[in-house]
Amino acid sequence: MPAPSSQQMPITAEMQSLSIKSLGRAVFPYRWLRDSCQCPSCVHPSTRQKLHRTSDIRRDVAPTQWAETSNCLHIEWNDRHRSTYDLDFLERYASPENLAAFH
């Protein structure tokens, strides 16, 4: 796995999740992150309705690259999809309770 691009948001890749130290060592499962992508091909821009089923996400989804820029986390997935997550979005779901409540 590639290393994070800076020390601002140290990220550690685990077997099935990313751990982000700056968010209190928050752990985000890969499938949750990929399913939570907010890009226009994943979420309708006007209605904000998700455009795929959670079951459409491959069980073996994993990041191939990631980088942090301007308070965002950018991930390229092994399914060739690219996601960008605002740090505020990740911080909102940093606790296990909030993460579970999101879906």
Side-chain angles (χ1 to χ4, degrees):
M1 284 284 144
S5 61
S6 75
Q7 294 304 311
Q8 200 171 6
M9 190 188 329
I11 301 167
T12 305
E14 306 295 333
M15 183 74 80
Q16 296 292 319
S17 61
L18 286 180
S19 175
I20 303 175
K21 185 177 179 182
S22 65
L23 297 177
R25 298 186 189 277
V27 176
F28 297 95
Y30 296 152
R31 288 191 79 209
W32 184 88
L33 281 169
R34 178 61 186 84
D35 189 40
S36 300
C37 180
Q38 301 293 298
C39 81
S41 59
C42 291
V43 175
H44 191 279
S46 302
T47 66
R48 305 302 300 156
Q49 182 175 347
K50 193 166 80 166
L51 300 174
H52 64 272
R53 294 179 304 237
T54 299
S55 61
D56 294 337
I57 305 299
R58 294 175 21 188
R59 290 200 175 274
D60 66 345
V61 72
T64 57
Q65 296 183 58
W66 66 85
E68 172 242 335
T69 58
S70 303
N71 292 326
C72 290
L73 173 63
H74 305 275
I75 299 176
E76 185 170 328
W77 299 98
N78 60 352
D79 65 1
R80 304 189 101 156
H81 188 78
R82 292 183 179 168
S83 302
T84 297
Y85 306 92
D86 289 332
L87 184 56
D88 291 340
F89 174 84
L90 295 175
E91 192 169 34
R92 192 173 322 132
Y93 301 104
S95 76
E97 296 80 22
N98 290 350
L99 187 66
F102 180 71
H103 285 288

